Amino acid sequence: MNTVVIIGEGPLADTVCKYLSEFPIVRRSAFGEDLPPARLVLVLSGNTSVHLQAEEILQPLGIPWLRCYESDGEGVVGPLVRPGTAGCSQCAENRYSMARNSKEDIGDLLMRLTSSDSLPIPVPEVSPFALRHLASIVSAEAAKALQGDKPHSENRIYLVNLMDLNTTIHYILPDASCPVCGQCPEDSKEAAQLTLGSCKKLSRDTYRSRSMSDLQKVLVKDYWDSRTGLFNGREFSFLSTFACAVVNLPLPMANELTGGHSHSFADSELAAILEGLERYCGIAPRGKRTVVYDSFVNLKDDAIDPLKVGLHAQEHMERPDFPYLRFDPDADISWVWGYSLLQERPILVPELLAYYSLGYGGGFVYETSNGCALGGSREEAILHGILEIVERDSFLMTWYAKLPVPRLDYRSSGDKELVTMIERVRAVTGYEVLLYNTTMENGIPSIWAIAKGGANQSLNLVCAAGAHLDPIRAAKSAVYELAGTITRVEASWNERRDDAEAMFHDSFLVEYMEDHSILYSLPEAEERLGFLLDERRPLRTFGEEFGPAAANDDLTDDLKQVLEVFRGLQLDVVVVDQSTSETLRNELYCFKVLIPGMLPMTFGHTLTRLAGLNRVLEVPMQLGYTDHKLSPEELNPYPHPFP
């Protein structure tokens, strides 16, 4: 029988009963009474504990259910929950509440909850018209479910403005970490095993396995929605030299903005979403549950050595406000399973290195998005994770060792697009773009780009970097980043010029990512880049500095060639799979790459991680920039200018 059980009292429940009179109905005020056999349960209550009860009771019974409730002047209907499938009421509640709460909203809420003077927020009475409208939606959705049709509320919720009855439908992306329906497996050594397979490229010179047009079909539909999306805001900038798009990733206590730059706003939006997915995967383990908690001493035969990834300087750790602890090999910490591509075996990685520590302290090291990359295959994600590590390492190596790397003649590239991009930056912004070859001993083309302002520009210097198997692509990546940074820093320069002057005199005032760019926008700071800006050296051509780019049809062949380079340098390449069910539904893979020995990017002067990394002392001599191994005292003592 098509029996419907209605949980709830009041006018809404009464009206729904009336609208569903053609079906057998059993009413209950709560879940406390015995539940009769039913095809569908309707929970018409705004009490979240009742929704949790519904999940606990109905999931084992295999009974689908639909909820309706009022929240802050808005009616919510759905989702239709089918037990045993991903996407439940708690997934919906998480997406809905996360998307509507900005950081400021949460701050106001905390103030109201903690202030003794705060008054209760009045709840407006729902009009009879609004009640009938909600009841009609619930009844229509219930009838479809009972008749075997697919309701609109499967994996979706209706949102109804109870003042004007404006009604919209919003997709609910199942939450991998949901305590009710999430099926997050335990992290394991066996699951970390990795075999590289064939990965055909779109063309020899693309280094990607999925096209933007292919991704266009799923990225916005699955991940962006202003009310319930994993991303809930987007903005297009018409001030930047190139098409710039930014999307907002709402997090429990903050909003994380991620951006994309290209020649089209559509592609920039997709790039921003992809970067946001990468950020979402990298913040914390969402695709597996961490289960290993032990000391390095006990695990050292199967674990990466934390002393080889770069630790914080002793003198910085002794500062009274330093947020991190000294690494203790006997202390128990959380570990996740990764895979060593050179040792060809699973290996344990400290969770704080495999995911972001975000500068909050409490662990032994500050780690950001170093080596995180998203791709249309495992191989693609790993290759681009390596390229990001190379980009940041080459920039920092050049900075700390003060290497007088060659300046490049961008016109010699023979690439019309690159030449046009640089000339466009000059025409639109007035900044001159300078390119430098910062390629290190691994031979992977790396570019440091500088925008040099004149009398009519707000900023004096802006820096960016890029790395790629193709030097032209490395240069374009750096120029895109440069253009976006110019726009971002110019927007805050007038307010922060005094901060820049203070940071110039006291490096410890450099605490956040933007501080680095603000500091080097100051004309006085230019002297610190004198090793790079010396114009007496002749320009070098791309042909003189770089060989031909890798020309394989299979991206895995490109990756294997790179791995052989690192094998020859005795630098291990360790990968951690950060993929979640949210990305895997569209065959998108996220990996964190670690290469112990290479310099990790950090933001904030005290959080620099050079301790234990001898490459910065040895490689300059190997490349012929110095005639001796550098001492720590010879390294650049100032904060880096990476944006």
Side-chain angles (χ1 to χ4, degrees):
M1 293 182 64
N2 288 334
T3 301
V4 181
V5 173
I6 295 179
I7 306 293
E9 298 180 317
L12 178 62
D14 294 341
T15 307
V16 170
C17 284
K18 178 181 176 182
Y19 287 174
L20 290 176
S21 59
E22 63 183 288
F23 300 101
I25 294 175
V26 175
R27 291 191 62 174
R28 293 283 188 269
S29 60
F31 274 108
E33 306 173 55
D34 291 338
L35 197 69
R39 283 280 307 278
L40 180 68
V41 174
L42 302 179
V43 178
L44 309 181
S45 169
N47 190 328
T48 55
S49 64
V50 176
H51 301 164
L52 283 171
Q53 274 187 299
E55 296 288 5
E56 293 171 0
I57 294 171
L58 301 177
Q59 286 275 354
L61 295 175
I63 301 175
W65 68 283
L66 180 71
R67 65 179 183 162
C68 176
Y69 69 99
E70 184 272 336
S71 174
D72 293 334
E74 192 164 54
V76 181
V77 180
L80 178 72
V81 179
R82 295 193 184 278
T85 61
C88 68
S89 67
Q90 298 311 297
C91 291
E93 196 60 35
N94 178 46
R95 301 295 187 203
Y96 173 53
S97 61
M98 189 69 72
R100 69 177 177 170
N101 288 336
S102 67
K103 183 179 180 181
E104 291 73 24
D105 293 334
I106 294 173
D108 292 343
L109 177 60
L110 291 175
M111 286 294 292
R112 292 200 300 267
L113 293 175
T114 57
S115 173
S116 58
D117 299 327
S118 62
L119 298 174
I121 302 172
V123 178
E125 184 176 344
V126 181
S127 71
F129 299 103
L131 280 175
R132 287 198 293 272
H133 183 59
L134 285 177
S136 67
I137 294 174
V138 172
S139 303
E141 291 296 291
K144 287 180 182 177
L146 293 167
Q147 293 165 356
D149 298 326
K150 183 178 180 179
H152 294 300
S153 55
E154 278 199 23
N155 295 118
R156 289 173 173 77
I157 62 173
Y158 287 81
L159 296 179
V160 179
N161 184 313
L162 297 178
M163 295 295 292
D164 61 14
L165 304 189
N166 180 55
T167 303
T168 53
I169 303 177
H170 303 269
Y171 174 67
I172 298 298
L173 178 68
D175 186 348
S177 57
C178 176
V180 174
C181 70
Q183 300 176 346
C184 196
E186 287 189 353
D187 188 24
S188 69
K189 183 176 183 178
E190 293 72 25
Q193 192 75 36
L194 182 64
T195 301
L196 298 178
S198 176
C199 179
K200 292 295 182 181
K201 294 155 66 173
L202 295 172
S203 64
R204 282 194 167 194
D205 61 353
T206 57
Y207 302 90
R208 291 289 185 182
S209 59
R210 299 275 294 278
S211 67
M212 280 297 193
S213 60
D214 178 32
L215 295 172
Q216 177 81 51
K217 301 171 185 176
V218 296
L219 289 187
V220 176
K221 176 178 68 71
D222 279 7
Y223 303 116
W224 191 91
D225 188 293
S226 63
R227 302 303 312 280
T228 61
L230 184 63
F231 305 100
N232 70 332
R234 60 183 168 187
E235 185 174 330
F236 301 102
S237 171
F238 300 99
L239 299 177
S240 180
T241 305
F242 306 110
C244 173
V246 175
V247 298
N248 182 62
L249 170 65
L251 297 172
M253 295 301 291
N255 287 316
E256 185 78 15
L257 296 176
T258 59
H261 297 85
S262 72
H263 297 311
S264 86
F265 286 105
D267 285 351
S268 295
E269 180 186 21
L270 295 183
I273 292 174
L274 289 168
E275 183 182 340
L277 287 172
E278 172 197 305
R279 196 72 49 90
Y280 177 77
C281 292
I283 286 174
R286 303 180 191 274
K288 51 194 174 185
R289 288 182 288 116
T290 301
V291 295
V292 179
Y293 186 73
D294 208 335
S295 69
F296 176 66
V297 167
N298 291 339
L299 300 173
K300 60 183 179 182
D301 290 339
D302 290 313
I304 195 172
D305 185 352
L307 296 176
K308 295 182 179 180
V309 299
L311 300 181
H312 302 295
Q314 177 69 28
E315 61 269 25
H316 292 172
M317 296 190 72
E318 292 173 354
R319 293 177 64 87
D321 57 347
F322 193 77
Y324 291 93
L325 308 173
R326 194 182 318 280
F327 174 66
D328 181 357
D330 292 306
D332 290 346
I333 61 174
S334 295
W335 301 78
V336 299
W337 282 103
Y339 187 79
S340 167
L341 289 169
L342 300 189
Q343 299 178 49
E344 298 183 341
R345 69 181 181 103
I347 190 168
L348 286 165
V349 177
E351 186 180 88
L352 278 175
L353 284 174
Y355 296 89
Y356 296 21
S357 65
L358 294 177
Y360 297 147
F364 68 90
V365 72
Y366 164 59
E367 177 66 5
T368 61
S369 61
N370 292 306
C372 289
L374 193 79
S377 68
R378 296 176 180 86
E379 295 77 14
E380 181 183 326
I382 292 169
L383 175 60
H384 287 271
I386 292 173
L387 293 177
E388 192 195 58
I389 288 181
V390 169
E391 170 194 307
R392 295 180 168 200
D393 171 85
S394 66
F395 186 99
L396 294 175
M397 289 281 289
T398 303
W399 172 256
Y400 286 116
K402 294 181 283 190
L403 303 180
V405 297
R407 181 180 164 192
L408 296 165
D409 178 0
Y410 68 87
R411 293 182 180 86
S412 72
S413 67
D415 188 274
K416 292 182 179 179
E417 183 181 50
L418 175 61
V419 172
T420 302
M421 287 172 64
I422 292 175
E423 292 179 348
R424 179 173 172 79
V425 171
R426 181 173 61 247
V428 173
T429 69
Y431 292 88
E432 292 290 336
V433 175
L434 314 176
L435 301 182
Y436 297 87
N437 178 15
T438 57
T439 304
M440 292 293 115
E441 84 283 22
N442 52 61
I444 297 175
S446 302
I447 301 289
W448 182 332
I450 292 180
K452 181 71 173 71
N456 297 323
Q457 281 67 52
S458 303
L459 316 175
N460 185 47
L461 293 175
V462 179
C463 298
H468 202 280
L469 298 182
D470 178 357
I472 303 296
R473 288 180 178 270
K476 290 177 182 177
S477 175
V479 174
Y480 277 132
E481 188 69 29
L482 198 64
T485 304
I486 290 172
T487 304
R488 186 176 70 249
V489 179
E490 279 188 334
S492 59
W493 174 246
N494 289 335
E495 294 181 2
R496 299 210 59 195
R497 185 185 178 99
D498 290 344
D499 293 340
E501 292 179 350
M503 290 186 289
F504 178 74
H505 295 291
D506 183 357
S507 294
F508 290 104
L509 295 177
V510 177
E511 298 180 330
Y512 305 104
M513 183 170 68
E514 186 188 60
D515 292 348
H516 293 265
S517 295
I518 291 291
L519 168 58
Y520 290 95
S521 300
L522 195 70
E524 298 93 297
E526 181 176 329
E527 62 182 9
R528 298 180 181 178
L529 285 95
F531 65 91
L532 203 62
L533 297 172
D534 184 356
E535 295 184 356
R536 292 171 296 180
R537 287 172 288 154
L539 290 177
R540 299 279 292 174
T541 68
F542 272 71
E544 290 171 328
E545 290 294 306
F546 304 106
N552 296 303
D553 293 319
D554 196 306
L555 190 140
T556 303
D557 293 332
D558 296 329
L559 174 57
K560 288 180 177 178
Q561 288 177 3
V562 170
L563 293 176
E564 283 306 306
V565 170
F566 286 106
R567 187 185 302 278
L569 296 173
Q570 297 184 320
L571 290 172
D572 199 0
V573 179
V574 176
V575 299
V576 177
D577 190 349
Q578 297 178 334
S579 309
T580 71
S581 61
E582 288 97 331
T583 63
L584 293 174
R585 65 186 283 116
N586 289 312
E587 296 183 79
L588 293 171
Y589 301 84
C590 189
F591 274 80
K592 165 83 168 187
V593 179
L594 298 103
I595 305 180
M598 297 187 76
L599 276 59
M601 181 61 67
T602 58
F603 299 104
H605 184 56
T606 61
L607 299 178
T608 300
R609 287 170 49 193
L610 294 179
L613 300 180
N614 291 326
R615 275 184 70 255
V616 71
L617 307 177
E618 298 169 349
V619 169
M621 183 172 65
Q622 295 174 18
L623 295 177
Y625 287 110
T626 67
D627 59 4
H628 64 283
K629 177 181 176 180
L630 298 180
S631 66
E633 292 73 26
E634 293 179 274
L635 298 181
N636 200 328
Y638 299 113
H640 65 73
F642 194 87

